[in-house]
């Protein structure tokens, strides 16, 4: 069900719930508590209708752009949201959960979570470039988290190979501090084969592991997984290029031309950061230097006026 959702459809959906709604004007005989109680009830009813209208718009948007069906709300919240509902694929009789929609966050925000199976379903009907257009349209400039992985079925990029590359500094990104060669990783060989580099709180966290051993399968399957945080949405324009541009180790996994996370053309997030930095520097200059610089400027202004006289 990949039908476009026009602005007119969105307006009609919103008007269907809240247009023409008026608060009742009742006489409570001067009883302030009863009047306040009735008003609070009406406000809650109105806010619920507005929330239902917004959920309806999100439901149509998810169905039209991503092919996701919004299930029934479960009546309790998670991650500081008041309620949540599962997301399924259309025409899926097994009802496999592909993610969740969380509503009722701070300032009326919502949170859409799509798992690995859900991403596979979404990208079967759309492209990363199309998703990038939607993100920039609604003002999203950064992704809180993005996981990228490459699977090896030939036994080339094993855990031992990744550990050897780590010792040869192949995971260094070319800027910032290097990962501590003694404490910045966890190397395990035995019942589990894995190499974890960095911290889960850092902007880049690597996990190279034996996927077949983890699942108990009798085959060759090694996975190199990079967990990125606070990354620009521009990465959707060239996922392979940005992945290979992470470090020398990533460049071995894919033949795409490497690109850095910050491309030559500044992204919208970089522009906002530059403006914010400029504003903060101007504010600091006014606060710290205005008193000391004023006499200096007045002295040079007077001197220039004196020297410029004929």
């Amino acid at each position: 069900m990949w039908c476009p959702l026009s602005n007119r459809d969105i307006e009609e959906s919103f008007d269907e719930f809240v247009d023409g709604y008026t608060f009742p004007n009742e006489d409570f005989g001067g009883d302030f508590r009863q009047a306040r109680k009735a008003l609070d009830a009406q406000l809650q009813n109105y806010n619920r209708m507005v929330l239902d209208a917004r959920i309806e718009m999100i439901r149509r948007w998810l169905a039209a752009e991503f092919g996701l069906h919004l299930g029934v709300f479960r009546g309790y919240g998670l991650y500081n949201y008041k309620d949540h509902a599962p997301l399924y694929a259309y025409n899926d009789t097994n009802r496999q959960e592909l993610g969740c929609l969380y509503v009722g966050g701070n300032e009326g925000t919502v949170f859409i979570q799509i798992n690995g199976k859900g991403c596979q379903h979404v990208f079967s009907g759309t492209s990363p470039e199309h998703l990038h257009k939607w993100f920039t349209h609604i003002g999203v400039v950064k992704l809180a988290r993005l996981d990228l992985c490459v699977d090896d079925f030939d036994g080339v990029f094993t855990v031992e190979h990744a550990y050897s590359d780590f010792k040869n500094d192949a995971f260094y990104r070319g800027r910032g501090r290097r990962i501590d060669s003694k404490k910045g990783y966890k190397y395990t060989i035995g019942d589990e084969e894995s190499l974890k580099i960095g911290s889960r709180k850092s902007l880049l966290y690597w996990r190279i592991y034996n996927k077949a051993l983890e699942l108990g399968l009798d085959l060759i399957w090694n996975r190199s997984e990079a967990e990125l945080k606070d990354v620009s949405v521009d990465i959707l324009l060239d996922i392979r290029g940005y992945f290979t541009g992470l470090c020398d180790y990533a460049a071995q996994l894919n033949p795409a031309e490497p690109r850095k996370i910050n491309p030559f053309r500044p992204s919208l997030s970089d522009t906002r950061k530059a403006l914010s930095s400029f504003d903060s520097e101007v504010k600091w200059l006014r606060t710290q230097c205005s008193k000391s610089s004023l006499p200096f400027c007045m002295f040079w202004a007077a001197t220039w006026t004196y020297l410029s006289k004929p």
Side-chain angles (χ1 to χ4, degrees):
M1 186 177 177
W2 297 92
C3 55
L5 182 62
S6 64
N7 293 332
R8 183 176 180 181
D9 293 334
I10 296 177
E11 294 174 358
E12 291 178 355
S13 172
F14 189 82
D15 294 341
E16 181 181 349
F17 285 91
V18 300
D19 189 30
Y21 184 86
T22 57
F23 294 102
N25 185 14
E26 301 181 18
D27 185 9
F28 294 94
D31 191 340
F32 175 78
R33 290 177 298 177
Q34 291 293 332
R36 179 63 181 271
K37 185 177 180 180
L39 180 60
D40 289 342
Q42 293 299 324
L43 286 174
Q44 291 179 3
N45 185 33
Y46 178 80
N47 291 332
R48 186 177 65 254
M49 296 176 69
V50 173
L51 179 61
D52 290 341
R54 291 173 176 172
I55 291 175
E56 174 65 16
M57 288 186 286
I58 294 175
R59 183 190 67 80
R60 297 189 182 188
W61 179 61
L62 291 173
E65 295 297 331
F66 308 119
L68 295 173
H69 171 68
L70 182 63
V72 179
F73 279 90
R74 292 170 171 168
Y76 61 93
L78 292 171
Y79 309 119
N80 296 323
Y81 288 85
K82 295 181 179 178
D83 205 347
H84 73 290
L87 297 173
Y88 306 104
Y90 270 99
N91 303 324
D92 183 9
T93 57
N94 297 326
R95 305 291 285 178
Q96 183 180 11
E97 188 171 317
L98 302 180
C100 285
L101 170 67
Y102 300 86
V103 299
N106 294 332
E107 299 181 358
T109 56
V110 299
F111 171 44
I112 301 174
Q113 180 188 31
I114 302 177
N115 57 30
K117 291 288 186 181
C119 291
Q120 184 179 3
H121 169 74
V122 168
F123 285 115
S124 67
T126 188
S127 65
E129 293 79 10
H130 184 72
L131 195 61
H132 178 269
K133 291 180 180 179
W134 264 111
F135 283 150
T136 54
H137 175 70
I138 62 180
V140 176
V141 297
K142 288 200 305 183
L143 302 177
R145 174 178 168 179
L146 180 65
D147 295 350
L148 303 174
C149 70
V150 175
D151 290 328
D152 166 43
F153 299 99
D154 300 319
V156 177
F157 301 104
T158 62
V159 177
E160 294 85 352
H161 171 79
Y163 180 69
S164 176
D165 282 351
F166 173 70
K167 289 300 183 179
N168 291 322
D169 210 19
F171 285 86
Y172 181 56
R173 301 186 65 183
R175 63 180 185 274
R177 295 187 304 173
R178 283 178 165 80
I179 301 175
D180 191 341
S181 60
K182 296 182 178 180
K183 300 180 180 180
Y185 72 97
K186 183 179 180 181
Y187 181 51
T188 305
I189 292 293
D191 296 336
E192 175 189 357
E193 294 184 8
S194 65
L195 173 64
K196 302 174 182 179
I197 302 174
S199 170
R200 298 301 295 265
K201 297 181 180 180
S202 59
L203 297 178
L204 175 59
Y205 172 73
W206 279 97
R207 181 171 175 245
I208 299 93
Y209 59 101
N210 190 330
K211 186 71 174 179
L213 183 61
E214 182 183 71
L215 299 178
L217 303 176
D218 186 16
L219 52 87
I220 299 175
W221 185 3
N222 299 295
R223 171 168 290 183
S224 299
E225 185 176 282
E227 182 180 304
L228 298 167
K229 296 184 181 66
D230 293 332
V231 64
S232 170
V233 296
D234 290 344
I235 196 174
L236 296 173
L237 298 176
D238 188 5
I239 294 179
R240 293 180 177 86
Y242 283 118
F243 178 80
T244 56
L246 291 176
C247 59
D248 291 341
Y249 175 77
Q252 305 175 65
L253 303 176
N254 196 285
E257 182 180 354
R259 296 183 63 179
K260 295 299 181 182
I261 293 297
N262 292 324
F264 295 106
R265 180 183 59 83
S267 65
L268 182 58
S269 59
D270 295 333
T271 304
R272 290 184 177 180
K273 287 180 181 179
L275 292 175
S276 178
S277 177
F278 178 76
D279 291 340
S280 62
E281 290 178 359
V282 170
K283 183 178 180 180
W284 176 86
L285 185 63
R286 289 178 175 176
T287 304
Q288 301 295 331
C289 306
S290 57
K291 293 182 180 181
S292 58
S293 61
L294 180 61
F296 178 78
C297 294
M298 293 180 64
F299 170 78
W300 279 107
T303 303
W304 175 257
T305 302
Y306 173 78
L307 293 175
S308 62
K309 289 183 179 179

